[in-house]
Amino acid sequence: MIINSIELKNFTVFENLSIDVSANINIFIGENGTGKTHLLKAIYGSCEIANSVNHKNFVKNYDYKRLSDSFNVNPDRVNLVRDTQKDEAEISLKIANDAGYAVGVYQSKYKVRFPQVDDLKSVFIPSKDMLTHSNGLLAMSDKYREFPFDITLTEIIRKANQWTLKQLPELARSILPTLEEMVDGKIVIKNEEFFILKNDGREINFAVEAEGFKKIGLLWQLLMNESITPNSILIWDEPEANLNPAFIPKLVECLLELSRNNVQIFFSTHNYILAKYFNVKATDSDSIMFHGLYKSNDSVQCESNENFSALHHNTIVQVFNALLDEVYNLDLGD
């Protein structure tokens, strides 16, 4: 089950956006304020609605609230629309399956039309570390209606908190050794708290562990409890945040391996090294698409290309080239 295209109309910064996406890896870049996180959350919220276990009652149970919770906004107000005069927004995912195409359209004015896609499985990893705060947070979010976290921040705790399998999942066999080498251990959960069990026997609580280790450890846990499986969708907001640059090539290899096992991946980045490594390490059989979001006439547009450096609206490359020019001029001055 994969997403073939995404359309957003009158949604936050997007007036009318249509993107054809890769079945394997999709990388979104753009300046701050071009809607990268909004786009990722819209994909995730839409997948969760489409895959509701209570699909027959999804209008009652999810409707506007399910998607608005992904942005931590009041479901009684339509404040995800770009133009409040129109008072309506749409998010469309074109989903490919054995029967052909099924199109789901989300309208923020309490009108939802989604195909039932029982096996549309998705995971959203936010840029913020949430596992450090896992103890008791889910209970509080379930108890208090006005909880000050959007659903993506609590859902990742819920999914990571599931039991790991005793038998190594097939998908994880070629990836876990690399992740375990990076964190020098494995993940354990005790009393709703997360630890890294180091190879020397020490248990390091996530509260005092390095941020980069926690990020890699989270991916390890999601693979081990089969939150990420073949034919699922992984959505990750800035995976490079707080990550040791030395880990980036290995992370790229892991994501490529996931995509080769039919995990469709969407993520955003501001990092030149991360984006460029995908072009360096990809094989001819890998399908990678770079999507550059940019502002044009008070709206956000998108250009897509298989080559990262070929994007015309590419602030990452522009800043990188400017740095090289400054270094070159500085060396000449010496």
Side-chain angles (χ1 to χ4, degrees):
M1 190 67 62
I2 61 170
I3 296 171
N4 273 2
S5 68
I6 304 165
E7 293 184 8
L8 300 99
K9 297 180 180 180
N10 196 36
F11 180 77
T12 64
V13 297
F14 304 105
E15 182 177 2
N16 193 344
L17 186 71
S18 180
I19 308 174
D20 291 327
V21 298
S22 166
N24 295 149
I25 295 179
N26 296 275
I27 304 170
F28 294 94
I29 69 168
E31 299 178 2
N32 290 335
T34 53
K36 296 184 298 298
T37 300
H38 282 191
L39 177 57
L40 295 180
K41 287 185 176 183
I43 297 170
Y44 179 67
S46 300
C47 289
E48 290 294 287
I49 294 172
N51 194 34
S52 167
V53 293
N54 301 311
H55 187 77
K56 292 182 179 178
N57 298 315
F58 70 88
V59 173
K60 176 182 177 181
N61 294 330
Y62 292 88
D63 197 32
Y64 178 62
K65 186 179 187 303
R66 183 64 179 183
L67 189 58
S68 64
D69 278 353
S70 296
F71 294 85
N72 191 31
V73 299
N74 188 335
D76 297 327
R77 300 197 308 270
V78 182
N79 58 352
L80 290 178
V81 296
R82 180 178 182 275
D83 183 353
T84 56
Q85 297 300 316
K86 297 179 181 178
D87 201 34
E88 183 179 277
E90 293 183 6
I91 301 171
S92 305
L93 302 182
K94 183 174 284 186
I95 303 166
N97 55 27
D98 295 339
Y101 293 111
V103 180
V105 177
Y106 170 87
Q107 293 182 302
S108 66
K109 201 175 180 180
Y110 301 97
K111 297 177 182 177
V112 183
R113 298 193 303 274
F114 266 96
Q116 184 171 0
V117 188
D118 292 331
D119 55 349
L120 185 62
K121 187 176 182 179
S122 62
V123 172
F124 182 98
I125 302 179
S127 58
K128 298 177 182 178
D129 160 50
M130 294 304 298
L131 300 195
T132 298
H133 315 289
S134 60
N135 191 3
L137 196 65
L138 291 180
M140 290 179 63
S141 67
D142 293 338
K143 181 178 180 180
Y144 298 104
R145 186 173 183 179
E146 299 297 329
F147 197 65
F149 293 96
D150 69 53
I151 198 170
T152 62
L153 301 180
T154 53
E155 278 294 299
I156 191 59
I157 299 176
R158 197 181 307 277
K159 291 182 179 180
N161 219 0
Q162 297 175 19
W163 290 99
T164 56
L165 302 178
K166 292 183 178 180
Q167 185 175 356
L168 186 65
E170 186 65 30
L171 176 62
R173 291 184 184 276
S174 59
I175 299 172
L176 257 58
T178 300
L179 300 180
E180 291 173 0
E181 178 186 354
M182 294 164 72
V183 301
D184 189 33
K186 303 178 180 180
I187 306 303
V188 295
I189 305 173
K190 293 184 177 180
N191 299 321
E192 297 186 354
E193 290 190 278
F194 289 81
F195 300 80
I196 295 183
L197 176 60
K198 298 291 186 178
N199 291 329
D200 61 8
R202 293 176 299 144
E203 286 187 357
I204 309 297
N205 192 296
F206 263 48
V208 295
E209 185 56 281
E211 293 293 326
F213 286 160
K214 289 188 281 189
K215 180 157 292 189
I216 299 302
L218 172 58
L219 182 58
W220 184 97
Q221 176 67 6
L222 294 173
L223 285 167
M224 278 298 292
N225 68 19
E226 290 195 311
S227 291
I228 300 174
T229 59
N231 300 313
S232 65
I233 297 171
L234 171 60
I235 306 165
W236 200 342
D237 196 7
E238 298 185 14
E240 80 281 0
N242 301 312
L243 190 67
N244 181 350
F247 287 166
I248 288 180
K250 295 181 179 180
L251 176 61
V252 169
E253 291 174 353
C254 291
L255 293 177
L256 284 170
E257 186 64 22
L258 286 175
S259 73
R260 292 163 187 160
N261 284 273
N262 300 319
V263 176
Q264 189 177 23
I265 299 173
F266 298 86
F267 72 86
S268 65
T269 184
H270 289 284
N271 190 282
Y272 176 88
I273 298 174
L274 176 64
K276 196 65 179 177
Y277 255 117
F278 276 94
N279 277 155
V280 171
K281 290 188 172 292
T283 65
D284 292 339
S285 60
D286 292 316
S287 174
I288 300 171
M289 191 64 69
F290 297 90
H291 307 280
L293 299 174
Y294 62 95
K295 296 178 181 179
S296 176
N297 298 325
D298 194 36
S299 182
V300 172
Q301 303 298 323
C302 179
E303 63 165 325
S304 302
N305 201 295
E306 295 179 352
N307 189 330
F308 171 64
S309 299
L311 291 174
H312 294 97
H313 300 86
N314 194 329
T315 55
I316 299 176
V317 169
Q318 292 166 4
V319 172
F320 184 77
N321 289 339
L323 172 61
L324 292 180
D325 289 341
E326 289 195 34
V327 171
Y328 179 74
N329 293 331
L330 183 63
D331 289 343
L332 286 181
D334 292 340

